[in-house]
Amino acid sequence: MTTPPKSDPRLLFLAGSVRQNSFNKRLARLGAAISEANNIPSTFVDLADYPMPIYDGDVEAESGPPENARKLKNLMRAHTGIFIASPEYNAAFSPLLKNTIDWVSHTRDAGEAPLEVFRTRVFALGSASNGGLGGLRGLSMLRLVFELGLGALVLPDQFALPRAADAYDEHGHLKNKDQQEQLKTVIQKLARAARVLHG
Ligand SMILES: Cc1cc2nc3c(=O)[nH]c(=O)nc-3n(C[C@H](O)[C@H](O)[C@H](O)COP(=O)(O)O)c2cc1C
């Protein structure tokens, strides 16, 4: 997998849930579809295809990071902007997402600077929940981890989808056209920021 040519933004969409009918997976999938519809090449990735054990320093010392962490990091490297749709669990983000981030952050190839894949991509955050705040509270912590812990550039714009159980139509689009436009705006800004960073 190679780094995309400069000035050609390529967006990766992932969700911090492996649940089959995950509201956040649907958000990430929709984001990728909106991106493609706006001529921005994109990929949706399901973390269910990249299972990893719970981080354990002994496991890392014995056998290194899991192969799936390396594969996911390479997939991230092949994109210049990354959108993360994150469930809110008790006002934080999901343990699946934290575990995935932690393993990827400890996966380094020869000659690779620490946290390089986080420091050289631009990120945008979203969330979906059946609650009234749409998982918004969990994004504060996720932003903190990305900015402070990983040194990542995170767009100030983010998207939270409340009442998610009733928000999608049968095609996976948002019934509320204003919300769909808001999501599109975040994605377009992500693509623009990725172009500036890599162009
Ligand atoms: C342990 C736990 C804690 C949760 N805490 C919150 C919460 O603080 N706020 C919220 O809006 N939803 C909360 N939920 C509900 C999740 O938003 C809901 O399960 C959602 O469907 C998860 O995202 P997904 O659909 O992408 O899997 C919680 C769910 C679990 C399992």
Side-chain angles (χ1 to χ4, degrees), residues 17 19 21-25 87-91 128-129 131 135 137:
S17 171
R19 196 170 73 86
N21 285 320
S22 159
F23 302 137
N24 287 282
K25 264 203 236 181
E88 178 178 300
Y89 286 176
N90 297 321
S129 161
R137 297 178 309 165

Side-chain angles (χ1 to χ4, degrees), residues 4 8-14 28-45 75-84 121-124 155 183-196 198:
D8 177 16
R10 181 174 289 274
L11 303 185
L12 182 67
F13 292 79
L14 63 90
R29 272 208 185 89
L30 174 60
I34 291 174
S35 183
E36 288 286 329
N38 286 274
N39 299 315
I40 306 162
S42 71
T43 307
F44 166 79
V45 60
L75 187 62
M76 291 169 70
R77 286 178 69 174
H79 297 78
T80 52
I82 300 174
F83 180 94
I84 300 177
R121 264 82 201 127
V122 55
F123 292 83
L155 279 194
L183 178 59
K184 181 173 138 185
T185 299
V186 172
I187 291 163
Q188 286 176 323
K189 283 190 181 181
L190 177 62
R192 275 205 296 275
R195 191 177 287 117
V196 169
H198 289 271

